[in-house]
Amino acid sequence: MPEAHDRPPEQFKLRLRRYNPESGEAPYWDEHTVELEPHRSVLEGVLQARDRFDGSIGIRCSCRQAICGSCGVRVNGEPALACHTHLDAALSSAPDGVIEIEPMGNMPVIKDLIVDMDAVHWKKIRRVTPWLLAKEPVPEREYLVSKEAMVDVTQSMACIQCGACVSDCLAMEVDPGFIGPAALAKAYRFVGDPRDAEQYERLNDLAQDPQGIFDCTHCFKCVEACPKDVNPMGQIMRLRRIATADQKIVDQNNGERHEAAFTGLIRGNGLLWEAELLPRSYGGNSWFGKFAPAAGKELLSSLPTIVKALLRGKVTPLGALKPHRIPSGDLKSVRAIFDKVESRDERYELNLYIVGEDETGEPVAVAAGEGTTASEPTSGPADAAPSGESIVASSPPPPDPGPPSAVGREGESEQAAPGPEDDSENEAAEGSNQ
């Protein structure tokens, strides 16, 4: 069977979303047929259409290797890097045999497939103070940082700032002011860095902001959209856990109290008792919470929504008064899960991008979505495949992991380790994106 790159050229029909705000005309669809080998990228198809048929087609691109993040678009309604999406794969997901390409969402369109990332994406990145605020005194040569600490932030460091998660964030569609998944994933890159001196200040700022970490609706769209397995929603959840569990931040948005009410109801009943969630979030995590003045005020303001739910049958008076509850045997199992998690001396925080378990239960390094394993976590960000590629160890490391990684003031590794320049380049790329 011939290899994919040996297949002859084929014809592919592209349907491009065209729009030029300066023209005053409405957006429209434009179709072109290109001829390329099936393994060629969607970006190459658009560029061929521009070269052969219409030189006014607008698309942003640079590296063509899924590194710079410039060519983010929607292909058949899904976010993608145009340079990293093969034409044959795009055709297989096209419902009518035509590859549909349109600009990313949640950002204003400058022209055709080019969106204004400065107006939304980069503005929100700047909002989270995307640089290290070093602890004092600054060492003359380097900080000594444990390998676990640096490996922990490699997932958020893998972000290439393509904006795909911003494009598909449902929370941003409802509330454009929401800081957003890309910026909050960037925030964790510094909150999780032990060299940063203002973890509490960063977390308190993001927790108290009505459009901060508690504005995320857990829709998982950013997780699906990310081409580098950064898992922005996971980083947001980790910001919440550190803010509430470690820093004991109680926010003005009732995010911390809402989570406590939610988990309390699940632990008590095995199912969520929706009618109790709001009063417990505002009045206290008990049945008596509804009698608190703050809860009463919130219930009154929510009456129009409650009435609509009653009229549409989504809520019944009996269901509001009587809690949902699962069988006692199942409830014991649910509570056993809570007891096991809460009995741990320390919260298990290393993200799944790095750590899983092998058949013997020993920690292993795992690159998200790749399934390639090594015998233990890597020694630092220089070895951690910051672009989301496989992490591979050719042989088991010695029992003693060695001294902590030596990390310079600007993030470059000073220790003689495999590929230290990889990390310094990644940090330099981060600096150039600020």
Side-chain angles (χ1 to χ4, degrees):
M1 182 175 180
E3 297 290 335
H5 58 270
D6 292 332
R7 293 163 60 186
E10 299 178 16
Q11 289 192 341
F12 296 90
K13 184 174 287 188
L14 308 181
R15 182 182 294 133
L16 309 177
R17 185 70 167 173
R18 306 291 304 276
Y19 176 52
N20 185 358
E22 296 180 356
S23 70
E25 298 178 359
Y28 63 96
W29 293 100
D30 188 18
E31 291 191 4
H32 297 285
T33 299
V34 298
E35 188 170 350
L36 287 165
E37 294 86 347
H39 73 277
R40 298 290 186 179
S41 69
V42 168
L43 175 61
E44 290 178 277
V46 174
L47 294 179
Q48 186 181 102
R50 187 182 67 178
D51 292 342
R52 293 186 178 181
F53 309 116
D54 188 345
S56 68
I57 295 174
I59 186 170
R60 180 188 285 129
C61 61
S62 182
C63 74
R64 307 193 191 189
Q65 298 183 59
I67 295 173
C68 72
S70 300
C71 62
V73 292
R74 277 179 172 164
V75 178
N76 299 326
E78 299 296 330
L81 296 177
C83 72
H84 197 53
T85 306
H86 297 284
L87 285 166
D88 53 356
L91 182 62
S92 67
S93 64
D96 59 354
V98 180
I99 301 173
E100 199 169 271
I101 308 165
E102 54 188 322
M104 293 192 294
N106 289 328
M107 288 178 273
V109 176
I110 296 177
K111 186 176 186 293
D112 297 337
L113 305 177
I114 305 171
V115 296
D116 188 352
M117 296 187 71
D118 285 335
V120 179
H121 175 72
W122 291 112
K123 178 181 179 181
K124 293 180 184 294
I125 291 289
R126 290 190 291 270
R127 160 69 181 81
V128 301
T129 314
W131 56 82
L132 192 72
L133 301 170
K135 290 180 178 178
E136 300 290 345
V138 176
E140 292 184 4
R141 177 177 171 83
E142 61 197 15
Y143 289 94
L144 293 181
V145 179
S146 69
K147 64 179 183 181
E148 291 84 3
M150 293 311 298
V151 166
D152 182 42
V153 297
T154 52
Q155 187 168 19
S156 51
M157 288 167 63
C159 177
I160 59 173
Q161 306 298 340
C162 65
C165 59
V166 174
S167 167
D168 268 35
C169 178
L170 298 182
M172 291 184 67
E173 287 188 17
V174 177
D175 180 9
F178 173 43
I179 294 176
L184 291 175
K186 186 72 169 179
Y188 184 78
R189 185 260 172 273
F190 298 103
V191 166
D193 194 320
R195 298 170 293 173
D196 195 87
E198 299 194 14
Q199 184 187 81
Y200 174 85
E201 290 77 9
R202 289 180 186 272
L203 290 169
N204 190 54
D205 173 43
L206 297 174
Q208 303 298 348
D209 191 331
Q211 296 165 323
I213 55 178
F214 291 106
D215 207 19
C216 172
T217 58
H218 321 129
C219 69
F220 285 86
K221 292 293 288 184
C222 62
V223 180
E224 297 172 359
C226 181
K228 294 296 181 180
D229 295 317
V230 172
N231 183 16
M233 193 191 79
Q235 312 305 326
I236 297 171
M237 297 303 104
R238 302 179 78 202
L239 290 172
R240 289 185 181 182
R241 286 196 295 272
I242 299 173
T244 57
D246 297 347
Q247 299 290 359
K248 309 299 181 185
I249 295 172
V250 178
D251 61 290
Q252 64 177 355
N253 309 302
N254 285 294
E256 184 271 341
R257 286 181 285 266
H258 177 76
E259 289 191 348
F262 202 108
T263 55
L265 287 167
I266 296 295
R267 181 168 192 162
N269 304 304
L271 292 172
L272 181 62
W273 186 5
E274 295 89 346
E276 280 287 298
L277 186 59
L278 187 148
R280 292 193 186 199
S281 297
Y282 283 85
N285 193 15
S286 73
W287 186 85
F288 298 99
K290 61 178 66 65
F291 300 109
K297 180 180 178 182
E298 192 65 25
L299 283 168
L300 285 174
S301 67
S302 302
L303 273 178
T305 303
I306 296 172
V307 170
K308 285 182 180 179
L310 286 168
L311 293 175
R312 295 177 181 178
K314 294 182 177 293
V315 177
T316 64
L318 182 61
L321 297 173
K322 183 181 179 181
H324 313 305
R325 184 164 290 176
I326 61 178
S328 58
D330 296 334
L331 183 56
K332 287 180 181 179
S333 299
V334 171
R335 290 176 178 174
I337 296 172
F338 277 88
D339 293 338
K340 182 176 182 179
V341 172
E342 293 172 355
S343 65
R344 293 174 178 165
D345 294 332
E346 295 182 2
R347 187 173 64 249
Y348 189 66
E349 228 6 288
L350 280 177
N351 58 60
L352 295 178
Y353 179 78
I354 300 299
V355 174
E357 290 184 356
D358 62 12
E359 294 179 356
T360 63
E362 296 295 326
V364 294
V366 180
E370 298 291 343
T372 306
T373 62
S375 58
E376 71 169 349
T378 53
S379 61
D383 309 314
S387 66
E389 299 173 353
S390 303
I391 301 172
V392 182
S394 58
S395 61
D400 180 8
S405 301
V407 183
R409 294 194 190 99
E410 298 180 0
E412 61 268 35
S413 173
E414 301 288 346
Q415 183 181 355
E421 61 277 0
D422 293 345
D423 185 52
S424 62
E425 290 175 2
N426 187 63
E427 290 287 333
E430 281 194 347
S432 66
N433 284 337
Q434 311 308 329

